[in-house]
Amino acid sequence: MSNRVVCREASHAGSWYTASGSQLNAQLEGWMSQVQSTIKPARAIIAPHAGYTYCGSCAAYAYKQVDPTVTRRVFILGPSHHVPLSRCALSPAEIYRTPLYDLKIDQKVYADLWKTGMFERMSLQTDEDEHSIEMHLPYTAKAMESHKDDFAIVPVLVGALSESKEQEYGKLLSKYLADPSNLFVISSDFCHWGQRFRYTYYDESQGEIYRSIEHLDKMGMGIIEQLDPISFSNYLKKYHNTICGRHPIGVLLNAVTELKKLGMDMNFSFLNYAQSSQCRNWQDSSVSYAAGALVVH
């Protein structure tokens, strides 16, 4: 048996974001410095996972609400883009590398999750191919840098879950969401519009295409703010909006529903919305990004 520590390399550094620690630190600092912390401390955030040139400034709005003095564990729920997965999966790694500093996985929580029988183990290759969790690692490291030796991460790859499975995982994770020392990062972009995404919904009454996209996204964001998983499912069935993190969002909404049954008072607010470009004709394409935070009262 080898005692070598399994590390997940920062496989998207140098392409999706800079591999230079000092450069990355300066970029993240720049974006964070332009944003106010209005609803700290966040218990959960929703933030995008695109290349930082596209969504770095948007994600800052969510990460600015994180309080490193209370957070000891960061759960990161990201959708699976490359492998078919009908459940959720855990990483085989113990350490996640970032150009800033290495993040360690909370092996105790991992062992508890593994014991439930509800999780698969992804391969290191799958883990390194996937960007939906990795894009949150530098921001997590930056937001937590003042307490970098005092926290661990719990990465969870979320598959194409049925509504009943979203409910099951929501129920399971709700006890962790109830703990103020935990932060949940929900990784999602919003509408992927254009022929290359095979999604071209357009409501002409809204004016230009990009206005229609914004209206559609903001309708979904409004429903997420109501924290109602059933309304969110119905919205997705009606409009088929290409929100890639819809299953992680569904898990969060179901976890919140569990805690509300116990009388916990929470609210979610979106703080920023952006589009990679403004679509005006059928040849155009864009991806939307939104950042928001959940606060427990």
Side-chain angles (χ1 to χ4, degrees), residues 122-169:
M122 59 178 134
S123 68
L124 190 61
Q125 183 68 57
T126 293
D127 199 354
E128 290 184 348
D129 285 348
E130 181 55 64
H131 63 275
S132 74
I133 293 172
E134 180 180 341
M135 297 310 293
H136 290 282
L137 304 176
Y139 251 122
T140 296
K142 184 63 186 161
M144 293 298 296
E145 69 182 343
S146 62
H147 288 72
K148 66 177 173 196
D149 299 322
D150 306 330
F151 82 100
I153 60 168
V154 183
V156 178
L157 189 63
V158 179
L161 307 179
S162 63
E163 281 172 63
S164 62
K165 279 221 181 96
E166 284 179 7
Q167 212 171 348
E168 282 171 42
Y169 285 105

Side-chain angles (χ1 to χ4, degrees), residues 80-87 120 159-160:
S80 174
H81 286 87
H82 304 295
V83 294
L85 185 65
S86 64
R87 303 200 298 163
E120 295 174 26

Side-chain angles (χ1 to χ4, degrees), residues 37-82:
S37 58
T38 47
I39 51 175
K40 241 173 158 165
R43 187 72 57 90
I45 59 174
I46 293 176
H49 55 235
Y52 282 179
T53 49
Y54 296 105
C55 75
S57 59
C58 173
Y61 283 82
Y63 279 95
K64 192 75 174 200
Q65 317 312 321
V66 174
D67 186 346
T69 65
V70 296
T71 304
R72 291 295 161 263
R73 217 172 278 107
V74 181
F75 287 73
I76 307 171
L77 274 58
S80 174
H81 286 87
H82 304 295

